[in-house]
Each structure stands twice: as structure tokens, then as C-alpha cells.
Amino acid sequence: MTYVGQSTSAAHQQETTPATVKDVIAAYVGLTKPRVIELLLLTTVPVMFFAARGIPALGLVVATVVGGTFSAGSASVFNCVYDRDIDEQMRRTRRRALPRHIVSPRSALVFGFALGILSTVILYVWVNPLSALLSVSANAFYVFGYTMWLKRRTTQNIVWGGLAGCFPALIGWTAVTGQLSWVPVILFAVVFFWTPPHTWALALRYREDYANVDVPMLPVVAPAAEVGRQIVIYSWVMVATSLLLWPVAGTGLVYPIAAAVLGAVFLLEAHRMWGRTKGTESLTEIQPMRLFHSSNLYLSLLFVAVALDPLLTR
């Protein structure tokens, strides 16, 4: 198979070169999208610390992390199987395992189901049924709601599809408490409003890829200035929502100070990018990846503050 921007001889060499055991293992790991899993766990474990008002039981943390990792990995595998047709055509994804034919779609499906079943058993037996149910719900919504329904049909794909990535905050809380409350719902909402700025910045960088495969991400169908405006709106709502945790959960001063400082820095970066979009469509001038990397840092440090607050304000 010949890939976009790739010579026929290079494609032939890629297809005929036998994969080593190391290649196959790396391919299966790659199907789970480890970097996505890192972000999901980052919004799970700190919430467990916050729910426990200290350090949660190590065994519970391990079971939640392993179960959550398998669940998120399962959803990612199914996503890779369904999207393998467009992954072959996009620069960002064409070196994934399925486009390179290192793993067959059937083998990937078996792998995805195995991870999903294991995750459900682990969470149900060693955590609690509610956390297991939330995990299965997130997995199902990501696969059926986002991947199969929303992604290729609407510019709001990532807005509503991003709901699946918000569930780890709920799972972390219920793993410790066994029930839901407004506290994890607020953190759920923070991730919900964080997802569009994060994803649209990346989609702006790869808008030609999405356009070539007819995926209507907002940067494909709207001018860069409109994307920047939407990013700023969601960023303001995200920061405002993050500050709600202080009065609702009765945190110490560590969290609200961190949330305010991190929010101010993120808003500054969002406004700067919006300003760079006015009058130009040049990605070199807009620099969307600056905001993308800033969004990762923002979420990481915010949830670190969630974990540290109960430890530093006893």
C-alpha cells in the first residue's frame, strides 16, 4: 500500500520487511495510545488523594490504575480499528500499527476485548461495582458515541466526544468513596471544558490531514480566528469552573492559588494565540502547538494541586 507523501518503493519496503517480536510488542502497546492513558490517569490518581483527604490505600490505587489503564487502552484499540482507513492517510497517524499492517484488525479487536474484560473484572472485584460501571460507560461512549458517530459527522465531535475523557475524575472519586458527589462532577467539568482548547490546537496544526479525510474538526471548517475565539471562550469557562472546587469542596489555599495562577497563564497563552490568528492562516505564525503543550502542562499541574491540597493543609 502506498501512503500519502511516500514513494511506492518505500511503501513496498515497509510492507515486505518482516516485523520483529519487539516491533509487534511495540505495535500492540501503541494501539493503546499510552500518552492518552497518561493524561487519563493524571485525572484519576490525584482525585483519589483528594477523596481520601490524604494518601489512599496503595492496593486500591494499584487496582484503579491497572483497571483504568486497561479500560482506556481497550477504547483506544477499538478507535484504532475503526479509524484505520483514515489513519492510513494522515501524516500524524499513518505509522500506527494497523496502517503499517504489523497487527491485523482481527487481532486488534481480540486485544481490545481482552483489555476491556480484564479492566471490568479488576475494577468490579478489587475496586467497586460503581467504578467498574463508570469505566465501561466511558469506554462505550468513546467507541460508539465519539469514534463511530460524532467524529465524522459534526464540528462538535470533540466537544461532546470529549465526555469520555472526563470519566476518570469520577472513577477516582468513587474508587475511594463508593459514591458520587458534586466534587468529582466539578473536576469532570474542568476536563470537559479543557478538551476543546487542547484538541482544537492540535487539530489546527493538522487541519490539512483532517480535511483530506473529511473529518469536520472545527479548524477544518472555520477560519483560524474563529477557532481562536472558541478556544478563548472555552478556556475562560474552564478556569472559572476550576475555581468552583474551592468553595464546593472546602479546599485549603493550595488548590485555589494554584488554579488561579495556572488559569491566568493558560488564558494569557490562549489570548495570545487568538491574537496571532487575526489576519493570517499561517501555522508558522499562529504556533498552535504552543497552546497544545501549554494545555497538557496546565492540566497536569492543576491535578497535582488537587492531590497536594489535602496533604499540605491538614
Side-chain angles (χ1 to χ4, degrees):
M1 178 172 293
T2 303
Y3 297 91
V4 176
Q6 183 180 41
S7 68
T8 304
S9 59
H12 179 72
Q13 182 180 11
Q14 178 173 289
E15 286 184 355
T16 56
T17 302
T20 65
V21 173
K22 182 179 178 180
D23 290 335
V24 173
I25 293 174
Y28 274 101
V29 172
L31 285 172
T32 66
K33 301 182 182 178
R35 296 187 70 178
V36 174
I37 291 175
E38 288 176 10
L39 279 174
L40 295 178
L41 293 181
L42 183 65
T43 57
T44 304
V45 177
V47 176
M48 297 181 72
F49 277 72
F50 194 81
R53 294 292 175 175
I55 302 175
L58 178 60
L60 181 63
V61 172
V62 171
T64 305
V65 166
V66 173
T69 296
F70 287 173
S71 179
S74 172
S76 293
V77 172
F78 291 135
N79 172 266
C80 287
V81 172
Y82 190 82
D83 279 349
R84 64 189 185 278
D85 59 329
I86 61 176
D87 283 349
E88 287 188 350
Q89 302 175 57
M90 296 178 66
R91 288 175 300 164
R92 187 173 66 87
T93 57
R94 65 190 180 198
R95 290 197 59 78
R96 288 177 176 172
L98 290 170
R100 294 174 63 199
H101 308 289
I102 296 178
V103 177
S104 70
R106 180 178 179 180
S107 297
L109 279 175
V110 172
F111 182 50
F113 277 114
L115 289 176
I117 293 169
L118 279 173
S119 71
T120 304
V121 171
I122 290 170
L123 291 172
Y124 188 92
V125 174
W126 285 286
V127 182
N128 58 58
L130 179 56
S131 296
L133 176 62
L134 289 169
S135 178
V136 170
S137 300
N139 195 324
F141 185 79
Y142 182 74
V143 174
F144 296 106
Y146 172 65
T147 301
M148 299 179 69
W149 181 39
L150 293 168
K151 183 174 181 178
R152 307 191 193 200
R153 287 177 171 82
T154 172
T155 58
Q156 296 298 300
N157 48 17
I158 198 60
V159 176
W160 299 109
L163 282 169
C166 306
F167 274 77
L170 303 181
I171 294 169
W173 182 270
T174 58
V176 174
T177 67
Q179 60 186 1
L180 289 169
S181 77
W182 282 111
V183 174
V185 170
I186 290 173
L187 293 171
F188 177 102
V190 170
V191 180
F192 176 77
F193 292 117
W194 168 88
T195 301
H198 169 77
T199 308
W200 285 336
L202 182 66
L204 191 57
R205 167 66 178 82
Y206 291 100
R207 62 185 175 185
E208 290 185 6
D209 269 1
Y210 287 109
N212 289 337
V213 295
D214 296 322
V215 174
M217 299 293 287
L218 183 64
V220 172
V221 301
E226 175 60 19
V227 176
R229 188 181 75 88
Q230 291 287 334
I231 284 175
V232 165
I233 292 172
Y234 274 93
S235 298
W236 273 98
V237 177
M238 174 192 72
V239 173
T241 303
S242 73
L243 292 171
L244 281 177
L245 190 66
W246 180 22
V248 171
T251 70
L253 290 177
V254 173
Y255 174 79
I257 290 174
V261 172
L262 292 169
V265 172
F266 188 85
L267 287 172
L268 180 63
E269 189 61 45
H271 275 276
R272 282 177 173 171
M273 196 197 82
W274 184 25
R276 293 193 297 268
T277 65
K278 297 175 181 178
T280 183
E281 293 289 323
S282 169
L283 295 180
T284 303
E285 295 181 34
I286 295 172
Q287 303 176 55
M289 294 305 287
R290 280 189 56 174
L291 184 66
F292 175 78
H293 293 305
S294 294
S295 68
N296 284 332
L297 186 61
Y298 167 83
L299 195 70
S300 300
L301 294 179
L302 183 74
F303 274 82
V304 167
V306 168
L308 289 178
D309 187 88
L311 298 177
L312 300 178
T313 57
R314 288 183 174 181

